[in-house]
Amino acid sequence: MAASQDVHVRICNQEIVKFDLEVKALIQDIRDCSGPLSALTELNTKVKEKFQQLRHRIQELEQSAKEQDKESEKQVLLQEVENHKKQMLSNQTSWRKANLTCKIAIDNLEKAQLLQGGDLLRQRKTTKESLAQTSSAITESLMGISRMMSQQVQQSEEAMQTLANSSRTILDANEEFKSMSGTIQLGRKLITKYNRRELTDKLLIFLALALFLATVLYIVKKRLFPF
C-alpha cells in the first residue's frame, strides 16, 4: 500500500510541475500577445483549463498526504502542497498582470490603427485623385495618338492617291511612247521606201539620158558620115 502511495505521489508531483510550466508558458504568450481580443480569449481559456488540472492534482497530492501513516512524511507532503498552492497563487497574480498588460497593448494598438485609418482614408483620397489625374492624362494622350494616327492614315491615303495618279500618268506616257515608236518605225519604213524609189528614179533617168545621148550620137554620125 505504501509503495502504491509513493508512486501516486510521484506522479502527482510530476504532473503538478508539468502543469505549472505549461501555465507559465501560456502566461508568457499572453504578455507577448498583440491581439486581437479573440486570440487573448483563446489563451485565457487554455490557462483556465491548465489551472483546473493543476488544482486537481494539488488536491490529490493533499489527499495523499493526509493518508500517510507516518506523521513526518505527512508533514513533508503537506508542505509540498502548500508550496504548490503558493506557486499557483503566484501564477494567478502573474496571469492577471499579463492580461492587464495585453489589454493595454491591444487598446493602444487599436487607437493607433484608428489614427492610421484616418491617414489611410486621406491617402486613399489622395491616391484616387492622383489616379483620376493619371487616367485623364492617359485619356488625353490616347486621344492625341488617335488624332496622329488619323492624320497619318489620311496622309497615307493622299500618298496612295498620288501614287495612283503617277502610275496612270506613267502608263499614259508609256502608251504615247509606244504610239510614237510605231509612228517613228512607219516613218523609217517610208523613208527607206522613198530612198529606194529615188535610187530607182535616178537609175532610170541615167539610163534614159544614156539612151538619149546614144541616139543623138547615132543621128550625128549618120549625118556626118553617111557611108
Side-chain angles (χ1 to χ4, degrees):
M1 182 68 179
S4 177
Q5 286 181 344
D6 290 341
V7 172
H8 183 69
V9 168
R10 193 180 305 114
I11 292 173
C12 283
N13 276 319
Q14 289 176 355
E15 291 190 351
I16 287 170
V17 172
K18 185 186 74 168
F19 292 141
D20 179 72
L21 292 174
E22 290 176 351
V23 166
K24 284 181 169 62
L26 288 170
I27 291 172
Q28 185 60 44
D29 290 339
I30 290 173
R31 289 195 187 97
D32 298 336
C33 180
S34 58
L37 287 174
S38 59
L40 178 60
T41 301
E42 184 178 355
L43 288 172
N44 281 322
T45 300
K46 292 180 180 179
V47 172
K48 289 177 182 178
E49 292 176 355
K50 295 300 177 184
F51 269 126
Q52 288 177 357
Q53 294 171 342
L54 179 61
R55 189 178 296 107
H56 179 68
R57 285 304 182 186
I58 291 174
Q59 289 174 354
E60 287 185 359
L61 183 62
E62 186 177 10
Q63 184 63 32
S64 296
K66 292 177 180 180
E67 293 174 355
Q68 293 295 320
D69 296 332
K70 294 180 181 181
E71 186 64 24
S72 59
E73 293 178 357
K74 178 179 180 180
Q75 293 301 322
V76 170
L77 288 178
L78 288 175
Q79 184 61 43
E80 289 181 4
V81 170
E82 188 65 24
N83 291 335
H84 289 317
K85 287 181 178 180
K86 289 180 180 180
Q87 186 61 46
M88 187 174 67
L89 290 173
S90 176
N91 287 337
Q92 288 175 342
T93 302
S94 299
W95 180 30
R96 287 192 292 271
K97 290 181 179 179
N99 268 283
L100 180 61
T101 302
C102 182
K103 287 179 180 179
I104 292 173
I106 292 174
D107 289 340
N108 291 334
L109 181 62
E110 288 178 350
K111 290 178 182 178
Q113 288 177 346
L114 287 173
L115 292 174
Q116 289 179 357
D119 293 337
L120 286 174
L121 288 175
R122 287 191 292 272
Q123 289 177 1
R124 288 176 182 174
K125 183 178 179 181
T126 303
T127 302
K128 287 181 179 179
E129 292 177 353
S130 177
L131 288 174
Q133 293 176 356
T134 304
S135 176
S136 178
I138 292 173
T139 302
E140 290 294 331
S141 178
L142 290 174
M143 290 178 65
I145 292 172
S146 177
R147 287 193 293 269
M148 290 177 62
M149 291 178 67
S150 177
Q151 292 176 357
Q152 290 292 330
V153 170
Q154 185 177 359
Q155 291 177 358
S156 298
E157 290 178 351
E158 293 177 355
M160 290 295 292
Q161 187 65 34
T162 302
L163 287 173
N165 293 333
S166 299
S167 298
R168 283 195 295 271
T169 302
I170 292 171
L171 289 174
D172 294 339
N174 189 25
E175 292 296 330
E176 290 180 0
F177 287 147
K178 287 181 180 179
S179 177
M180 290 177 64
S181 176
T183 303
I184 291 171
Q185 289 179 359
L186 180 61
R188 183 180 300 171
K189 290 179 179 179
L190 291 174
I191 291 171
T192 302
K193 186 176 181 180
Y194 175 77
N195 289 332
R196 288 177 182 175
R197 180 169 293 179
E198 183 180 7
L199 180 62
T200 302
D201 290 342
K202 287 181 179 180
L203 182 59
L204 291 173
I205 292 171
F206 177 75
L207 290 175
L209 180 62
L211 180 60
F212 175 74
L213 292 175
T215 303
V216 170
L217 288 175
Y218 178 76
I219 293 172
V220 170
K221 181 181 178 183
K222 287 292 182 181
R223 292 284 181 91
L224 291 178
F225 305 102
F227 50 91

